[in-house]
């Protein structure tokens, strides 16, 4: 492929374009072909209502979405999309793909990598021009394209594990068998659960519906569950936490039009002991379950999971999907005890673009090396920041 020039990547107004490319790729792969190499995509997005789908079809422009297409002679070479978080201080790369064919001929891997690198570089520059501080990406662990993100200064700060259960009833049966085994012979129960902390698995905890005024308590719960190095890497504001972990804090829904959503908290008065969110599937999408449990309450995670499975089981057989970070050991143990199978691991990446400098001192806008403890990548060189003004890091390709 000939060398890139700035005109080959341009913004497009439609935020649904990457989803259209992804749908075409899924269709072609079902027929033993392919259309694009999707490094970042959202294959398990939350179920949407028919009203939301109609709105996207009629108004394919979103204020918080930025979409770019890479093309040559009107032939698409790749597509990328980023979405702004509340406050516009952080972006999430939600789609990134390179086309696998050029004029009905397979595209070389080197050409695909060049297109991917240039699109990520373009997205970073666009974020810098808009005053964005952090850019996040979620990439399947061990993918070779992770090297591209390393060249552009992204660092891996955590891993997120995906778990899958055929149906909520299967999970309840597994927990019931574990309770029976624990009652008959606790040592055998410990061996059967493969080291999982089953104490309290059969107990319940008082729950109440989630309210927006619980946002501060959820932030404190996040602090208790999350290592400091991860907190430093994410630097979440309260609104960003609600947007990323609590799906915007929205639990109401339109009956007959939207899938049911509900959230609950275990309120201990001075703090929250746990948080649970359920999103009921509709059509082909599975149920989605999310939970956080305070590390000082070992019995909360299995109790929350049992309650969630009981609610989801009322909808009949349907797979249940849950994501948990590798350091959330109580949640992971509860999922395994309920029979959830580990189906994938994603690397969570971040690129910090700004750093506040002190008066009268010169410090790099981005540290030469910031290790978060999970095989972090070194950052690229940057300009110096002087005085109190925030300077933006220059993104460079090595």
């Amino acid at each position: 492929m000939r060398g890139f020039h700035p005109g080959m990547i341009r913004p497009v107004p439609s935020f649904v374009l990457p989803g259209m490319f992804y749908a075409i790729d899924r269709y072609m792969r079902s027929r033993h072909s392919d259309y694009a190499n999707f490094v970042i995509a959202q294959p398990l997005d939350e179920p949407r209502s028919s009203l939301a789908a109609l709105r996207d079809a009629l108004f394919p422009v979103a204020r918080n979405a930025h979409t770019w297409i890479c093309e040559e002679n009107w032939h698409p070479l790749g597509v990328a999309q980023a979405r702004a978080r509340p406050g516009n201080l952080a972006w999430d790369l939600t789609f990134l793909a390179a086309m696998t064919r050029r004029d009905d001929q397979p595209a070389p891997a080197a050409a695909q990598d060049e297109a991917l690198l240039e699109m990520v570089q373009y997205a970073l520059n666009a974020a810098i021009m808009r005053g964005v501080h952090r850019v996040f990406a979620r990439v399947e662990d061990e993918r070779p394209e992770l090297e591209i993100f390393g060249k552009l200064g992204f660092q891996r700060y955590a891993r997120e594990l995906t778990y899958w259960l055929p149906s909520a009833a299967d999970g309840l049966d597994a927990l019931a068998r574990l309770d029976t085994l624990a009652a008959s012979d606790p040592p055998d129960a410990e061996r059967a659960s493969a080291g999982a902390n089953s104490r309290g698995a059969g107990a319940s905890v008082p729950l109440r519906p989630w309210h927006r005024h619980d946002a501060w308590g959820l932030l404190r719960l996040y602090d208790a569950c999350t290592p400091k190095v991860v907190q430093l890497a994410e630097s979440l504001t309260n609104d960003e936490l609600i947007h990323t972990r609590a799906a915007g804090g929205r639990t109401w829904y339109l009956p007959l039009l939207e899938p049911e959503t509900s959230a609950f908290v275990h309120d201990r008065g001075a703090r929250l002991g746990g948080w649970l969110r359920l999103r009921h599937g509709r059509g082909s999408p599975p149920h989605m379950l999310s939970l956080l449990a305070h590390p000082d309450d070992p019995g909360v995670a299995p109790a929350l999971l049992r309650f969630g499975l009981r609610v989801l089981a009322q909808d009949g057989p349907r797979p249940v999907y849950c994501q948990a970070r590798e350091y959330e050991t109580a949640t992971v143990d509860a999922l395994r005890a309920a029979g959830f199978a580990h189906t994938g691991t994603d690397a969570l990446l971040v690129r910090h673009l700004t750093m506040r400098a002190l008066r009268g001192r010169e410090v790099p806008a981005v540290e030469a090396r910031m290790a978060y403890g999970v095989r972090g990548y070194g950052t690229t060189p940057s300009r110096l920041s002087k005085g109190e003004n925030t300077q933006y890091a220059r993104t460079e390709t090595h």
Side-chain angles (χ1 to χ4, degrees):
M1 183 176 66
R2 295 186 294 273
F4 277 88
H5 57 83
M8 295 185 65
I9 301 178
R10 62 181 177 88
V12 292
S14 174
F15 79 95
V16 300
L17 180 64
M20 295 169 56
F21 283 4
Y22 185 78
I24 295 173
D25 182 65
R26 295 300 96 184
Y27 175 81
M28 295 185 65
R29 288 181 186 274
S30 67
R31 284 156 174 74
H32 309 288
S33 182
D34 57 18
Y35 178 69
N37 174 23
F38 271 87
V39 179
I40 300 177
Q42 296 177 309
L44 284 173
D45 199 3
E46 289 202 354
R48 297 186 307 161
S49 66
S50 56
L51 183 63
L54 177 62
R55 178 202 61 198
D56 292 346
L58 296 177
F59 307 101
V61 178
R63 295 180 59 186
N64 68 329
H66 305 271
T67 308
W68 305 276
I69 188 170
C70 177
E71 56 188 5
E72 184 177 28
N73 297 326
W74 300 102
H75 293 287
L77 305 181
V79 64
Q81 184 179 96
R83 285 182 175 267
R85 295 183 178 181
N88 203 37
L89 295 179
W91 281 6
D92 289 294
L93 284 175
T94 53
F95 281 99
L96 178 66
M99 304 306 162
T100 56
R101 293 184 177 274
R102 311 276 174 82
D103 299 326
D104 296 329
Q105 297 295 326
Q112 295 182 39
D113 290 346
E114 185 177 1
L116 293 171
L117 187 144
E118 291 295 332
M119 285 188 294
V120 176
Q121 176 78 69
Y122 194 95
L124 289 175
N125 291 337
I128 290 172
M129 296 301 295
R130 289 169 173 80
V132 177
H133 294 183
R134 289 156 283 126
V135 176
F136 293 89
R138 181 196 306 270
V139 182
E140 184 179 347
D141 204 17
E142 306 302 335
R143 282 192 68 122
E145 290 86 357
L146 282 170
E147 183 179 355
I148 296 174
F149 290 87
K151 291 179 179 180
L152 295 175
F154 281 85
Q155 299 183 43
R156 186 199 322 250
Y157 64 89
R159 291 183 177 89
E160 191 161 70
L161 313 176
T162 299
Y163 287 91
W164 191 273
L165 185 69
S167 72
D170 293 342
L172 292 174
D173 292 342
L175 291 176
R177 289 193 298 269
L178 190 60
D179 292 342
T180 302
L181 188 58
S184 61
D185 192 346
D188 288 344
E190 184 176 357
R191 291 193 296 269
S193 61
N197 183 7
S198 61
R199 291 180 300 172
S204 61
V205 295
L207 299 175
R208 64 168 175 80
W210 151 276
H211 299 289
R212 284 289 300 185
H213 64 252
D214 293 318
W216 177 253
L218 181 60
L219 182 61
R220 300 280 66 82
L221 179 61
Y222 163 83
D223 291 342
C225 299
T226 307
K228 295 299 182 183
V229 290
V230 178
Q231 295 182 38
L232 175 65
E234 294 187 304
S235 301
L236 296 180
T237 65
N238 191 52
D239 289 339
E240 289 179 20
L241 176 66
I242 298 301
H243 173 75
T244 56
R245 300 305 294 268
R250 179 175 179 266
T251 57
W252 57 269
Y253 66 100
L254 299 176
L256 304 179
L257 292 178
E258 293 184 316
E260 182 180 355
T261 302
S262 55
F264 306 89
V265 294
H266 172 44
D267 193 348
R268 298 180 60 89
R271 61 173 174 82
L272 294 182
W275 170 85
L276 172 70
R277 183 175 184 270
L278 305 174
R279 179 78 173 186
H280 296 246
R282 175 179 293 181
S284 59
H287 296 309
M288 301 179 68
L289 183 150
S290 304
L291 65 92
L292 280 177
H294 200 284
D296 293 340
D297 299 324
V300 169
L304 290 175
L305 179 61
R306 181 186 297 273
F307 175 85
L309 292 178
R310 285 173 178 168
V311 174
L312 297 177
Q314 298 175 6
D315 289 351
R318 183 184 294 273
V320 182
Y321 159 78
C322 182
Q323 287 183 321
R325 295 186 177 181
E326 58 183 352
Y327 52 79
E328 296 172 353
T329 55
T331 298
V332 172
D333 289 345
L335 294 173
R336 291 175 176 172
F340 279 79
H342 176 223
T343 60
T345 301
D346 292 327
L348 304 183
L349 311 176
V350 63
R351 174 67 158 94
H352 287 267
L353 302 176
T354 64
M355 184 175 181
R356 181 67 65 177
L358 301 178
R359 180 184 296 274
R361 297 183 60 185
E362 295 183 357
V363 298
V366 178
E367 295 284 354
R369 179 77 175 179
M370 294 176 64
Y372 294 125
V374 189
R375 290 195 294 176
Y377 296 111
T379 58
T380 57
S382 60
R383 295 182 293 185
L384 295 182
S385 177
K386 297 182 178 181
E388 290 186 333
N389 294 327
T390 300
Q391 302 294 329
Y392 297 96
R394 181 179 72 249
T395 55
E396 297 180 354
T397 304
H398 296 298

